Amino acid sequence: MTESARGSGNRQPRKRLHYGEGREALLNAAVRVVARGGLRKLTYRAVAEEAGVTHGLVVHHFGSRDALIEEALAHTIRTSLSTSALEPGTGKIADFSTGLSDMVVADPDTQAFQYELLLESRRRPELLPQIRELYDEYFDAARRELGRMLPAGADKALTRLVFAALDGLVLHQLVLGEREVTDAALEQLRSLLRLLEAHGGDTTDESRT
């Protein structure tokens, strides 16, 4: 990619990739292109340049720009939870979302891509089913981990509240940086979860009287 973006005199031969490898490279390239320039910058040529492959290979794999967008979104659904900190699986509040700020630093493009598509779905309702699938995956992971931590588990409202806090912190760090602010806010969130744990995880009015 670095060489192909330079002058034609220094242009290197295009990569020769196997089918699966080429598809994966193109999806990752699409995510990076959108993360840097927004959805308006997503073209066959931009993705090909980013991946270091031929323009025709993008057409071969996806056929249309809309198909490329939908496939890239599905790709982030498959890969995002594997790098997220939502579900460490220990059931310990101290472990909850400990890697969140690291995730933003390590893979900002995936996070930016998802936010771009989230906003785009307001203009293109056909993207909504996949956006809902993405967020349902997040909600389910958060609810499972809250269930491990809190004696009474977590209902839909509590799950959404906790996830909204995490989602907002990711967005703020993505835009503003301030990793230390993310970490401090997460510790405050864990403190609130410890209070719920101490009250048996009950969020009803009776538990606060």
Side-chain angles (χ1 to χ4, degrees):
M1 168 56 198
T2 303
E3 293 298 330
S4 66
R6 296 175 183 169
S8 59
N10 295 324
R11 193 176 299 276
Q12 298 294 313
R14 295 290 187 178
K15 297 176 183 177
R16 301 185 65 179
L17 303 172
H18 298 297
Y19 179 83
E21 182 185 1
R23 190 178 186 83
E24 185 85 2
L26 291 173
L27 291 171
N28 288 329
V31 168
R32 293 193 297 271
V33 168
V34 172
R36 287 200 304 263
L39 200 59
R40 67 186 183 280
K41 296 293 186 180
L42 186 68
T43 65
Y44 289 151
R45 194 167 302 282
V47 172
E49 281 293 313
E50 178 67 27
V53 298
T54 63
H55 170 273
L57 189 61
V58 186
V59 179
H60 169 72
H61 277 293
F62 303 103
S64 72
R65 182 174 179 271
D66 285 347
L68 175 58
I69 292 170
E70 292 177 6
E71 289 274 1
L73 180 54
H75 175 65
T76 66
I77 293 171
R78 292 191 299 270
T79 60
S80 58
L81 278 179
S82 66
T83 60
S84 79
L86 273 176
E87 193 177 10
T90 65
K92 298 178 180 178
I93 292 176
D95 295 338
F96 186 59
S97 296
T98 53
L100 193 74
S101 60
D102 291 335
M103 180 190 71
V104 180
V105 172
D107 192 15
D109 287 348
T110 293
Q111 310 310 316
F113 175 85
Q114 290 180 359
Y115 288 123
E116 286 282 347
L117 269 291
L118 187 66
L119 292 173
E120 183 65 16
S121 69
R122 297 182 70 248
R123 296 179 288 269
R124 297 180 54 184
E126 65 270 20
L127 293 175
L128 270 176
Q130 284 182 291
I131 291 293
R132 288 186 184 278
E133 181 181 351
L134 171 66
Y135 272 79
D136 282 344
E137 292 278 358
Y138 286 141
F139 296 148
D140 288 346
R143 189 168 188 171
R144 286 192 299 268
E145 193 61 25
L146 288 169
R148 296 183 184 102
M149 294 186 294
L150 304 177
D155 60 14
K156 183 176 181 179
L158 179 59
T159 299
R160 292 291 181 94
L161 177 62
V162 171
F163 180 77
L166 299 176
D167 203 27
L169 289 173
V170 169
L171 179 59
H172 291 170
Q173 185 179 334
L174 188 66
V175 175
L176 303 175
E178 300 178 340
R179 176 176 179 171
E180 68 283 357
V181 174
T182 301
D183 291 335
L186 285 171
E187 190 50 49
Q188 289 297 315
L189 177 60
R190 293 186 199 104
S191 294
L192 294 174
L193 291 173
R194 290 186 184 100
L195 290 176
L196 284 177
E197 181 187 34
H199 285 81
D202 192 349
T203 60
T204 63
D205 290 339
E206 288 78 10
S207 70
R208 295 191 292 270
T209 59

